Amino acid sequence: MAEFVYVPAGACNIGSSREEIDLCVERWSGCLVESIYTRDKFRQWILKEFPRHKVDIAPFRISRFPVTNGDYMPFLATGTVTVPESIQKREPADHPVWGVSYEDCYRFGQWVGRKLGCKCRLPSESEWEYAARGTESREYPFGPEFDASKCNTFESGIGHTTPVDRYADYPSGFGICDMAGNVEEWTSSDYRPYPGGPYIADDLAEECGATYKVLRGGSFARGGDLARCARRHGPHPGAAFRYRGFRLVR
């Protein structure tokens, strides 16, 4: 496994204010990959981020890069998991593994923990967001404004995964890389409204049920709106959403 980065304890601003939601809708509603999605529907998705609130985060270590195909290959020898689609397609070893279920990510964490002699797990979504935002509470892991040259999203025009260190010059404030685009990342958290926020019964709830594991960061196949640090997504069954990978906390 790649190195783990220490993230100190802190009180992190999680989620978005009404003003931030309005700015997001104004910035992104006309730039969605599918034009069939209306402005009102997009606002409903973003309302999952409301309200912005403080969360006290205990210190943890998180992998600098997403788990790669090369990291995952030895785990397949255990014979306990399904071969991910990225490995079936023989994608390069330094690209992120994708097509992995939450359950297999959990098992991989246990396997790595046994090898390292410590507990390894998926991050909670609050830990993930704190690691992405840094102490500056950034809008994107790499800074306050979207920049298609600093991440692998639909806007980059690449159209496939890239090496996890391709954008290592544009890390989060804590020095963690590839948290925007490339592949979406599983967290250990079930979707629930934030304290004082509304439950959003959107297409994800219809497809996945009232609760589902939250994914973060967006992918190469989707737009920069999903690369925002605050964006909460889930395991939509559509083919364009299948690029799901992960990173670990120890």
Side-chain angles (χ1 to χ4, degrees), residues 22-249:
D22 289 343
L23 288 171
C24 173
V25 172
E26 183 66 27
R27 165 67 175 86
W28 287 105
S29 61
C31 307
L32 300 177
V33 175
E34 277 90 3
S35 59
I36 60 171
Y37 293 139
T38 66
R39 187 184 183 95
D40 287 344
K41 186 171 185 178
F42 182 59
R43 179 181 291 276
Q44 282 294 102
W45 298 342
I46 305 305
L47 277 172
K48 291 179 183 177
E49 302 168 15
F50 182 79
R52 188 176 175 90
H53 59 290
K54 291 272 189 184
V55 176
D56 291 322
I57 308 289
F60 61 96
R61 294 183 182 274
I62 189 168
S63 47
R64 186 179 296 276
F65 301 104
V67 173
T68 65
N69 294 310
D71 293 330
Y72 204 85
M73 280 291 291
F75 179 52
L76 292 178
T78 66
T80 60
V81 292
T82 303
V83 179
E85 189 172 349
S86 63
I87 292 177
Q88 292 179 37
K89 291 179 177 293
R90 300 186 179 181
E91 293 193 358
D94 61 350
H95 286 220
V97 68
W98 60 266
V100 285
S101 68
Y102 172 81
E103 292 75 17
D104 283 352
C105 295
Y106 177 83
R107 295 186 188 101
F108 180 83
Q110 291 184 314
W111 178 76
V112 169
R114 288 192 294 271
K115 291 183 66 175
L116 297 179
C118 62
K119 181 179 180 180
C120 287
R121 57 177 175 81
L122 292 168
S124 69
E125 64 167 328
S126 293
E127 288 172 332
W128 193 100
E129 187 168 333
Y130 182 39
R133 283 187 182 275
T135 57
E136 302 168 353
S137 198
R138 296 175 178 180
E139 180 75 359
Y140 298 90
F142 45 77
E145 301 290 338
F146 179 72
D147 186 336
S149 71
K150 296 180 179 179
C151 61
N152 182 9
T153 61
F154 178 82
E155 291 82 5
S156 74
I158 296 172
H160 51 75
T161 60
T162 47
V164 295
D165 62 355
R166 175 171 176 144
Y167 301 97
D169 289 341
Y170 311 109
S172 78
F174 290 120
I176 303 157
C177 302
D178 220 27
M179 298 192 82
N182 216 0
V183 295
E184 289 195 85
E185 298 182 17
W186 286 105
T187 74
S188 62
S189 299
D190 292 325
Y191 168 66
R192 293 187 178 86
Y194 286 150
Y199 176 83
I200 304 299
D202 62 0
D203 53 343
L204 271 174
E206 293 171 4
E207 295 284 355
C208 305
T211 61
Y212 47 83
K213 295 298 181 184
V214 174
L215 288 146
R216 294 294 193 120
S219 77
F220 73 85
R222 311 308 297 168
D225 59 296
L226 276 165
R228 295 171 53 251
C229 295
R231 188 75 150 85
R232 309 175 78 191
H233 198 226
H236 193 285
F241 296 98
R242 73 188 193 278
Y243 305 106
R244 298 192 282 263
F246 66 110
R247 71 181 72 221
L248 293 177
V249 160

